[in-house]
Tab-separated table of all heavy atoms in Angstrom:
chain	number	residue	atom	x	y	z
T	15	ALA	N	-5.711	-24.791	-8.834
T	15	ALA	CA	-5.796	-24.037	-10.090
T	15	ALA	C	-6.290	-22.617	-9.811
T	15	ALA	O	-5.725	-21.642	-10.302
T	15	ALA	CB	-6.732	-24.742	-11.061
T	16	VAL	N	-7.342	-22.500	-9.018
T	16	VAL	CA	-7.896	-21.177	-8.701
T	16	VAL	C	-6.883	-20.344	-7.930
T	16	VAL	O	-6.689	-19.163	-8.199
T	16	VAL	CB	-9.194	-21.335	-7.876
T	16	VAL	CG1	-9.686	-19.958	-7.413
T	16	VAL	CG2	-10.259	-22.033	-8.710
T	17	GLY	N	-6.197	-20.974	-6.983
T	17	GLY	CA	-5.202	-20.252	-6.188
T	17	GLY	C	-4.059	-19.758	-7.047
T	17	GLY	O	-3.601	-18.624	-6.907
T	18	SER	N	-3.599	-20.606	-7.972
T	18	SER	CA	-2.477	-20.200	-8.837
T	18	SER	C	-2.895	-19.044	-9.744
T	18	SER	O	-2.155	-18.088	-9.921
T	18	SER	CB	-2.012	-21.381	-9.679
T	18	SER	OG	-3.069	-21.807	-10.525
T	19	THR	N	-4.088	-19.123	-10.308
T	19	THR	CA	-4.557	-18.048	-11.186
T	19	THR	C	-4.735	-16.752	-10.398
T	19	THR	O	-4.324	-15.679	-10.843
T	19	THR	CB	-5.887	-18.433	-11.850
T	19	THR	OG1	-6.787	-18.895	-10.852
T	19	THR	CG2	-5.682	-19.522	-12.879
T	20	LEU	N	-5.324	-16.853	-9.225
T	20	LEU	CA	-5.516	-15.654	-8.398
T	20	LEU	C	-4.165	-15.056	-8.023
T	20	LEU	O	-3.980	-13.844	-8.073
T	20	LEU	CB	-6.289	-16.020	-7.121
T	20	LEU	CG	-7.793	-16.210	-7.326
T	20	LEU	CD1	-8.448	-16.651	-6.018
T	20	LEU	CD2	-8.433	-14.910	-7.812
T	21	ALA	N	-3.216	-15.913	-7.668
T	21	ALA	CA	-1.886	-15.435	-7.280
T	21	ALA	C	-1.242	-14.689	-8.438
T	21	ALA	O	-0.690	-13.611	-8.264
T	21	ALA	CB	-1.020	-16.613	-6.861
T	22	SER	N	-1.332	-15.256	-9.645
T	22	SER	CA	-0.709	-14.604	-10.813
T	22	SER	C	-1.397	-13.275	-11.098
T	22	SER	O	-0.745	-12.260	-11.352
T	22	SER	CB	-0.814	-15.516	-12.034
T	22	SER	OG	-2.172	-15.777	-12.325
T	23	VAL	N	-2.709	-13.258	-11.051
T	23	VAL	CA	-3.455	-12.016	-11.346
T	23	VAL	C	-3.179	-10.947	-10.292
T	23	VAL	O	-3.055	-9.765	-10.608
T	23	VAL	CB	-4.963	-12.320	-11.410
T	23	VAL	CG1	-5.765	-11.008	-11.519
T	23	VAL	CG2	-5.268	-13.209	-12.611
T	24	VAL	N	-3.067	-11.356	-9.045
T	24	VAL	CA	-2.847	-10.385	-7.957
T	24	VAL	C	-1.411	-9.871	-7.953
T	24	VAL	O	-1.169	-8.702	-7.665
T	24	VAL	CB	-3.167	-11.032	-6.600
T	24	VAL	CG1	-2.703	-10.129	-5.453
T	24	VAL	CG2	-4.676	-11.295	-6.495
T	25	THR	N	-0.465	-10.753	-8.283
T	25	THR	CA	0.943	-10.344	-8.240
T	25	THR	C	1.341	-9.491	-9.436
T	25	THR	O	2.265	-8.689	-9.342
T	25	THR	CB	1.857	-11.580	-8.181
T	25	THR	OG1	1.503	-12.457	-9.255
T	25	THR	CG2	1.704	-12.299	-6.860
T	26	LEU	N	0.651	-9.630	-10.559
T	26	LEU	CA	1.023	-8.860	-11.762
T	26	LEU	C	1.030	-7.359	-11.495
T	26	LEU	O	2.030	-6.686	-11.741
T	26	LEU	CB	0.079	-9.209	-12.916
T	26	LEU	CG	0.470	-10.503	-13.647
T	26	LEU	CD1	-0.575	-10.827	-14.715
T	26	LEU	CD2	1.841	-10.369	-14.296
T	27	PRO	N	-0.071	-6.759	-11.008
T	27	PRO	CA	-0.070	-5.311	-10.751
T	27	PRO	C	0.961	-4.914	-9.708
T	27	PRO	O	1.600	-3.870	-9.815
T	27	PRO	CB	-1.491	-5.030	-10.257
T	27	PRO	CG	-2.051	-6.356	-9.850
T	27	PRO	CD	-1.348	-7.376	-10.701
T	28	PHE	N	1.155	-5.773	-8.706
T	28	PHE	CA	2.137	-5.442	-7.662
T	28	PHE	C	3.539	-5.452	-8.253
T	28	PHE	O	4.395	-4.656	-7.891
T	28	PHE	CB	2.048	-6.453	-6.514
T	28	PHE	CG	0.904	-6.146	-5.594
T	28	PHE	CD1	-0.226	-6.957	-5.586
T	28	PHE	CD2	0.949	-5.049	-4.750
T	28	PHE	CE1	-1.294	-6.671	-4.740
T	28	PHE	CE2	-0.112	-4.759	-3.901
T	28	PHE	CZ	-1.229	-5.582	-3.894
T	29	ARG	N	3.781	-6.373	-9.206
T	29	ARG	CA	5.097	-6.425	-9.851
T	29	ARG	C	5.326	-5.147	-10.641
T	29	ARG	O	6.415	-4.571	-10.637
T	29	ARG	CB	5.159	-7.637	-10.802
T	29	ARG	CG	5.321	-8.945	-10.026
T	29	ARG	CD	5.371	-10.115	-10.993
T	29	ARG	NE	5.417	-11.399	-10.284
T	29	ARG	CZ	5.424	-12.565	-10.900
T	29	ARG	NH1	5.359	-12.613	-12.218
T	29	ARG	NH2	5.482	-13.679	-10.220
T	30	ALA	N	4.282	-4.677	-11.329
T	30	ALA	CA	4.402	-3.442	-12.111
T	30	ALA	C	4.696	-2.271	-11.178
T	30	ALA	O	5.573	-1.455	-11.439
T	30	ALA	CB	3.106	-3.199	-12.889
T	31	LEU	N	3.966	-2.203	-10.074
T	31	LEU	CA	4.197	-1.119	-9.107
T	31	LEU	C	5.592	-1.235	-8.513
T	31	LEU	O	6.277	-0.228	-8.306
T	31	LEU	CB	3.151	-1.210	-7.983
T	31	LEU	CG	1.737	-0.816	-8.417
T	31	LEU	CD1	0.757	-1.049	-7.275
T	31	LEU	CD2	1.703	0.654	-8.839
T	32	ALA	N	6.030	-2.455	-8.261
T	32	ALA	CA	7.363	-2.661	-7.690
T	32	ALA	C	8.424	-2.142	-8.659
T	32	ALA	O	9.416	-1.534	-8.254
T	32	ALA	CB	7.581	-4.140	-7.423
T	33	ARG	N	8.202	-2.359	-9.960
T	33	ARG	CA	9.175	-1.858	-10.954
T	33	ARG	C	9.189	-0.331	-10.944
T	33	ARG	O	10.248	0.294	-10.941
T	33	ARG	CB	8.781	-2.359	-12.346
T	33	ARG	CG	9.102	-3.850	-12.522
T	33	ARG	CD	8.760	-4.300	-13.931
T	33	ARG	NE	8.983	-5.730	-14.096
T	33	ARG	CZ	8.717	-6.370	-15.234
T	33	ARG	NH1	8.207	-5.711	-16.263
T	33	ARG	NH2	8.956	-7.658	-15.334
T	34	LEU	N	7.995	0.270	-10.923
T	34	LEU	CA	7.931	1.735	-10.931
T	34	LEU	C	8.547	2.313	-9.659
T	34	LEU	O	9.427	3.164	-9.710
T	34	LEU	CB	6.461	2.178	-11.029
T	34	LEU	CG	5.809	1.845	-12.375
T	34	LEU	CD1	4.326	2.209	-12.328
T	34	LEU	CD2	6.493	2.609	-13.499
T	35	PHE	N	8.082	1.837	-8.503
T	35	PHE	CA	8.612	2.346	-7.236
T	35	PHE	C	10.059	1.936	-7.042
T	35	PHE	O	10.834	2.632	-6.399
T	35	PHE	CB	7.756	1.825	-6.071
T	35	PHE	CG	6.426	2.534	-5.991
T	35	PHE	CD1	5.261	1.876	-6.321
T	35	PHE	CD2	6.362	3.871	-5.616
T	35	PHE	CE1	4.040	2.526	-6.266
T	35	PHE	CE2	5.145	4.529	-5.547
T	35	PHE	CZ	3.972	3.855	-5.876
T	36	GLY	N	10.436	0.778	-7.607
T	36	GLY	CA	11.822	0.321	-7.491
T	36	GLY	C	12.748	1.309	-8.174
T	36	GLY	O	13.777	1.704	-7.633
T	37	GLY	N	12.379	1.769	-9.369
T	37	GLY	CA	13.210	2.743	-10.088
T	37	GLY	C	13.201	4.072	-9.351
T	37	GLY	O	14.233	4.717	-9.200
T	38	ALA	N	12.036	4.485	-8.842
T	38	ALA	CA	11.943	5.758	-8.123
T	38	ALA	C	12.778	5.698	-6.845
T	38	ALA	O	13.506	6.632	-6.520
T	38	ALA	CB	10.482	6.057	-7.781
T	39	SER	N	12.689	4.581	-6.126
T	39	SER	CA	13.445	4.450	-4.877
T	39	SER	C	14.937	4.400	-5.179
T	39	SER	O	15.759	4.901	-4.437
T	39	SER	CB	13.025	3.185	-4.130
T	39	SER	OG	13.368	2.045	-4.878
T	40	ALA	N	15.293	3.812	-6.327
T	40	ALA	CA	16.718	3.722	-6.696
T	40	ALA	C	17.269	5.130	-6.893
T	40	ALA	O	18.359	5.455	-6.406
T	40	ALA	CB	16.878	2.917	-7.973
T	41	THR	N	16.524	5.990	-7.582
T	41	THR	CA	16.964	7.367	-7.808
T	41	THR	C	16.980	8.128	-6.473
T	41	THR	O	17.864	8.908	-6.192
T	41	THR	CB	16.041	8.086	-8.804
T	41	THR	OG1	14.691	7.953	-8.350
T	41	THR	CG2	16.143	7.469	-10.178
T	42	ALA	N	15.985	7.862	-5.629
T	42	ALA	CA	15.913	8.547	-4.334
T	42	ALA	C	17.115	8.130	-3.479
T	42	ALA	O	17.714	8.953	-2.809
T	42	ALA	CB	14.619	8.182	-3.622
T	43	ARG	N	17.468	6.864	-3.530
T	43	ARG	CA	18.628	6.402	-2.753
T	43	ARG	C	19.889	7.113	-3.229
T	43	ARG	O	20.745	7.480	-2.445
T	43	ARG	CB	18.779	4.885	-2.939
T	43	ARG	CG	17.702	4.107	-2.192
T	43	ARG	CD	17.835	2.605	-2.450
T	43	ARG	NE	16.721	1.861	-1.874
T	43	ARG	CZ	16.538	0.568	-2.090
T	43	ARG	NH1	17.352	-0.086	-2.865
T	43	ARG	NH2	15.516	-0.050	-1.550
Side-chain angles (χ1 to χ4, degrees):
V16 174
S18 62
T19 50
L20 283 177
S22 60
V23 172
V24 170
T25 53
L26 278 176
F28 280 108
R29 284 180 185 178
L31 289 175
R33 286 183 183 178
L34 292 175
F35 286 109
S39 65
T41 53
R43 287 177 187 172

